[in-house]
Amino acid sequence: MSDKATLEINGEKYEFPLIKGTENEVAMDIKSLRGATGGVITVDPGYKNTGSCESAITFLDGEKGILRYRGYSIEELADKADFLEVAYLLIFGELPTNEQLEQFHDDIKSHSVVDDDVKKIIDAFPKSAHPMGVLSSLTSALTAFNPSSVDVNSEEQMYNAIVRILGKFPVLVSWAMRKKQGLPLEYGDDSLGYVENVLKMMFKSPNKEYEQNEILVNALDKLLILHADHEQNCSTSTVRITGSSHAGLFASLSAGISALWGPLHGGANQAVLEMLEAIKEDGGDTKKYMAKAKDKEDPFRLMGFGHRVYKNFDPRARIIKKAADEVLGDLGVEDPILDIAKGLEQEALEDPYFVDRKLYPNVDFYSGIIYRAMGIPVEMFTVMFALGRLPGWIAQWREMRLRKEPIGRPRQLYVGETYRPFKEIQNR
Ligand code: CMC
């Protein structure tokens, strides 16, 4: 294969280098396009064909249904690693040794207290506030209580910012939930593992000891691993582009949380459960909802189905579907919406509309069913996604800064009015 691509514009030929990734993916390097052609740009709404960066963190092959973090398959990581090991792997590039993992966890724990004044901010939110809005605001507010900028040339400052947010974020997650439930805002317990600590902070009742449940710990650990990174998705691209202006880590993360919130992205897990509930309330007629999803006049979409990149089964959905069966079985929970979900999946897999468009269940289709069985309220589902995605966002932000990427600033094709003289108000 040639290492150059040729483009002809108005009879003039331009050559652009073809570059290859380690998995043999090919990209046309068009950095010189505008300069060489005297102003021609590319237009690609939704960036369906545009690579925004080179990255060594996550590989995904949407045709084959492959997902790997730093070369390790998601199946093996979900089976053999814990969330903190995966966080270390994503951020620093290698699986940690025992000592490195212990040090990492100790450093996170030493930063797991949030300034008590942050409680005053949370107090000002109405109980009806969505926890994603609260989480995004509090993450941004942390900049006011911590060094707001990081000297990225200092390994130490970068490391400190990373362990600080990994320590404080679960506290904010638990506060976002407890505020809604009118429960006192707790701090964590240093004697516990990262995920155990999250669960205790979320669920500890003020008048009872909290008892850990291994089933919940393992289920949450797996869910967080499966959500930990997914290369240049909407929220991650938001984190990278926000950070590309040299905005600090916490500010960039806050922007990413807002991007994750939408129902086409992380907000889909809440939307899936609400959809399954609505179908149940409506008598469980899955065929009716399949017809709605296919009707182009109807804005309804089958939430939890389809993916920009996967044109095959989302490998995370396979693992989560199996986990949903196991967790509900282990907890002795019978949830009729699991049957509705399986029914919808079966129908979609046999329906030409979904088959032709390669629409398969994605990560969000079954995750909410597990969260619900764990006792997590539906409005917290996307917050749990954010907790899982945190190491991925950090890793991508760090990579972007270390690679000294330029500020993200796309071009546009202007299609508005051409010059017109100002019209005085009395003449309009
Ligand atoms: N239900 C019905 N039709 C769909 C669906 C769906 N869930 N998803 C895509 N389509 C159709 C769409 O109408 C279009 O049909 P046509 O070619 O006839 O116009 C075709 O499939 C291609 O869809 P698209 O919207 O152009 O694809 P996209 O790559 O821009 O969007 C998506 C990907 C995930 C936004 C979309 O599939 C969707 O809205 N899914 C439902 C929301 C969801 O589950 N989101 C979670 C994504 S995974 C986790 C995450 O990223 O956070």
Side-chain angles (χ1 to χ4, degrees):
M1 186 176 154
S2 154
D3 58 357
K4 286 196 178 65
T6 309
L7 190 67
E8 192 173 320
I9 304 172
N10 289 337
E12 197 77 45
K13 286 193 176 158
Y14 304 92
E15 281 196 339
F16 299 96
L18 289 177
I19 50 175
K20 246 190 197 177
T22 48
E23 292 281 353
N24 292 324
E25 292 171 301
V26 180
M28 188 161 85
D29 177 348
I30 54 149
K31 285 202 271 302
S32 62
L33 173 70
R34 193 167 169 276
T37 57
V40 176
I41 59 163
T42 57
V43 174
D44 185 19
Y47 312 116
K48 293 190 178 194
N49 305 279
T50 299
S52 60
C53 60
E54 289 180 20
S55 178
I57 300 171
T58 289
F59 171 68
L60 90 81
D61 182 331
E63 308 300 324
K64 295 193 185 130
I66 292 174
L67 173 61
R68 297 189 200 124
Y69 299 161
R70 301 280 189 186
Y72 296 102
S73 80
I74 192 66
E75 289 81 6
E76 272 194 285
L77 290 170
D79 194 34
K80 296 179 181 157
D82 73 22
F83 177 60
L84 218 51
E85 274 179 282
V86 169
Y88 187 99
L89 169 72
L90 283 167
I91 298 168
F92 302 112
E94 295 295 340
L95 284 167
T97 61
N98 265 326
E99 295 76 54
Q100 286 169 327
L101 187 60
E102 205 171 306
Q103 186 64 54
F104 187 47
H105 194 196
D106 284 349
D107 294 334
I108 289 170
K109 285 191 281 196
S110 73
H111 285 290
S112 59
V113 173
V114 172
D115 193 302
D116 224 47
D117 278 348
V118 175
K119 288 183 181 167
K120 291 185 193 147
I121 303 176
I122 207 167
D123 267 352
F125 281 101
K127 267 213 184 91
S128 58
H130 194 288
M132 278 300 273
V134 175
L135 185 69
S136 164
S137 309
L138 294 185
T139 305
S140 179
L142 282 186
T143 53
F145 297 89
N146 294 276
S148 58
S149 65
V150 178
D151 175 1
V152 296
N153 298 312
S154 155
E155 270 290 320
E156 194 189 341
Q157 280 196 34
M158 185 81 107
Y159 181 80
N160 283 340
I162 290 168
V163 289
R164 199 174 284 128
I165 191 64
L166 283 167
K168 296 181 196 313
F169 201 71
V171 180
L172 304 185
V173 163
S174 73
W175 286 3
M177 178 174 118
R178 294 177 78 91
K179 161 78 186 176
K180 223 175 162 47
Q181 298 178 328
L183 289 169
L185 308 181
E186 303 273 342
Y187 283 101
D189 178 342
D190 264 6
S191 67
L192 297 174
Y194 193 81
V195 171
E196 278 106 327
N197 192 29
V198 171
L199 286 168
K200 182 171 174 184
M201 280 193 288
M202 287 173 73
F203 290 117
K204 187 182 174 322
S205 129
N207 51 358
K208 254 199 251 146
E209 280 301 306
Y210 180 75
E211 269 185 46
Q212 290 290 341
N213 177 335
E214 273 307 295
I215 302 168
L216 300 192
V217 175
N218 293 335
L220 183 56
D221 203 79
K222 195 175 279 208
L223 282 167
L224 296 180
I225 291 173
L226 294 174
H227 286 89
D229 196 49
H230 213 234
E231 52 115 302
Q232 308 313 316
N233 54 82
C234 176
S235 59
T236 301
S237 300
T238 302
V239 169
R240 279 184 93 122
I241 206 163
T242 307
S244 77
S245 73
H246 296 193
L249 174 60
F250 300 174
S252 307
L253 291 171
S254 167
I257 296 166
S258 299
L260 184 72
W261 192 357
L264 298 190
H265 190 12
N269 57 13
Q270 173 175 341
V272 169
L273 208 99
E274 287 166 352
M275 173 189 81
L276 295 173
E277 264 304 321
I279 297 176
K280 192 185 96 188
E281 292 303 307
D282 197 19
D285 184 358
T286 49
K287 295 212 162 35
K288 174 174 161 190
Y289 285 85
M290 289 291 288
K292 273 166 76 63
K294 294 188 282 181
D295 180 356
K296 292 288 167 202
E297 302 303 311
D298 191 327
F300 176 80
R301 279 192 166 196
L302 197 56
M303 298 313 287
F305 261 76
H307 197 276
R308 170 59 62 81
V309 185
Y310 291 119
K311 300 303 167 200
N312 196 327
F313 235 89
D314 179 338
R316 303 166 301 172
R318 267 189 222 285
I319 302 173
I320 292 186
K321 181 181 178 186
K322 190 160 163 271
D325 272 329
E326 288 164 4
V327 175
L328 268 64
D330 289 349
L331 292 173
V333 172
E334 274 181 32
D335 192 338
I337 65 165
L338 180 58
D339 296 327
I340 294 179
K342 285 183 178 171
L344 278 175
E345 178 188 331
Q346 200 46 46
E347 282 171 44
L349 293 178
E350 289 162 8
D351 188 305
Y353 175 96
F354 288 85
V355 174
D356 293 350
R357 289 170 180 75
K358 300 191 169 142
L359 301 170
Y360 294 90
N362 58 49
V363 68
D364 292 319
F365 194 61
Y366 286 103
S367 61
I369 296 175
I370 307 183
Y371 288 136
R372 179 153 100 158
M374 295 173 71
I376 298 175
V378 92
E379 282 198 324
M380 280 294 290
F381 290 1
T382 316
V383 170
M384 303 315 288
F385 190 152
L387 180 65
R389 186 54 54 90
L390 181 65
W393 287 332
I394 295 171
Q396 301 271 354
W397 180 89
R398 178 175 179 270
E399 181 183 70
M400 180 273 306
R401 290 305 309 269
L402 292 181
R403 292 176 85 104
K404 302 201 183 335
E405 283 179 12
I407 186 167
R409 203 300 186 189
R411 292 270 170 180
Q412 64 163 16
L413 191 66
Y414 177 70
V415 293
E417 298 285 349
T418 53
Y419 173 74
R420 41 187 182 159
F422 183 75
K423 217 184 237 178
E424 297 299 336
I425 196 160
Q426 63 276 17
N427 300 331
R428 289 175 209 162

